[in-house]
Amino acid sequence: MNREATSPAWDCIIVGAGPAGLNAALVLGRARRRVLVLDNGAPRNSATHEMHGVLGHDGLDPAELRARGRAEIARYGVQVVSLQAQDAKVLDGALRVTSAGRTELTRTVLLATGMLDELPDIPGFADVWGTSAHTCPYCDGFEHRDERLAVLAAGDRGEHLAVLLRQWSDDVVLLANGPHDLAADKLARVRAIGVPVIESAVVGLDSQGGRLRHVRLGDGQTLDRDALFFYVGWRLRNDLARTLGCELRDDGSIVVDANQATTVDRVYAAGNCSEPRALVPAAAGSGTTAAVAINARLCFEDADRAVARGPAAATTAQAL
């Protein structure tokens, strides 16, 4: 496969090695693309020990999925390096990506960094995070079915989680952690399904072996609870999207189109950084969507360049 000497070293640099980034790397590697994956070793689900709702891999440790993915993409020549992407710049027909002691040119970039979950600043939370404190009912709700559940979230997010979790347990409380700001219709909804709203401040969590036992409140009450589902917020793991000028949504995620293309030419985004609510299969699928779009774009770019060079250049290239 002939390449112009002046072309970037990579067809795509993928920033992030979670399900979205690795799935994209697999598809692009099989398309014989030159792919570099930058992995900072800090996945979004680093606190999670089991993955659920993933067909064929239900209950698998996410670290094992990533290890299998890295082994698979290596068979197709994809390179993975343990580096944090620090900077990126759009050039004429290419992009420059800078990491510690390394600068690379690429035709496209795929951002697949996931999001960083903001965690409650509550004593004892670190002891239950990933074991009996979670963000996603679909990922961990079944494991806590029929248990005593608490929702720690404000406003619409708290109501949303509380309504969902009633599907897994009849005993759910909503911890507003202060005066609630629920609209009247939303307050009526949670009360109608038997979810009390507690406005006292949450001052501590007691646990044993990673299992939540009690939620301590500022008014002196102690609630017996077995698991906590929470939402504080999330944010992008690095500033590359902002540095490149990608449009962001109000929740901090990256705006993309149906092909996972961002508002900046040659820059794509997939996984939770473009859809924070996406479960693992959806995140991986968006990586495939991005990879297919990237490969098609590059194929047609190469064909258009061949047309621009004219028949004589094509005849010479065939002779070589």
Side-chain angles (χ1 to χ4, degrees), residues 14-30:
I14 299 174
V15 184
L22 291 176
N23 221 54
L26 180 63
V27 173
L28 287 170
R30 287 180 51 81

Side-chain angles (χ1 to χ4, degrees), residues 24 28 74 78 81 86 89 106 112 135 149 171 174 191 215 217 232 251 319:
L28 287 170
V78 174
V81 295
Q86 297 175 330
K89 184 176 182 179
T106 179
T135 59
L149 307 182
D171 188 350
L174 174 55
R191 286 177 171 170
V215 176
L217 303 177
V232 177
D251 64 7

Side-chain angles (χ1 to χ4, degrees), residues 24-110:
L26 180 63
V27 173
L28 287 170
R30 287 180 51 81
R32 306 183 71 188
R33 288 296 175 186
R34 302 163 297 168
V35 181
L36 175 66
V37 179
L38 302 180
D39 180 14
N40 71 351
R44 181 182 188 183
N45 58 4
S46 57
T48 303
H49 307 292
E50 292 185 356
M51 214 171 36
H52 295 288
V54 185
L55 187 64
H57 297 298
D58 192 60
L60 184 71
D61 188 328
E64 176 61 22
L65 180 71
R66 294 192 296 272
R68 292 181 187 181
R70 288 177 70 134
E72 289 173 355
I73 65 177
R75 296 202 298 262
Y76 299 102
V78 174
Q79 294 188 36
V80 181
V81 295
S82 299
L83 286 174
Q84 171 73 48
Q86 297 175 330
D87 193 18
K89 184 176 182 179
V90 178
L91 306 175
D92 183 15
L95 299 106
R96 183 175 65 215
V97 178
T98 303
S99 302
R102 183 167 179 164
T103 299
E104 302 286 351
L105 291 180
T106 179
R107 296 174 70 182
T108 60
V109 164
L110 172 60

Side-chain angles (χ1 to χ4, degrees), residues 120-153:
D121 184 17
I122 297 173
F125 177 82
D127 297 326
V128 296
W129 174 218
T131 304
S132 55
H134 314 282
T135 59
C136 174
Y138 295 102
C139 302
D140 300 289
F142 185 82
E143 283 61 46
H144 297 288
R145 62 197 181 278
D146 300 322
E147 293 183 353
R148 298 166 297 183
L149 307 182
V151 172
L152 178 62

Side-chain angles (χ1 to χ4, degrees), residues 237-248:
R237 287 183 170 272
N238 60 40
D239 290 329
L240 284 186
R242 292 185 179 88
T243 299
L244 289 165
C246 299
E247 183 181 350
L248 304 181

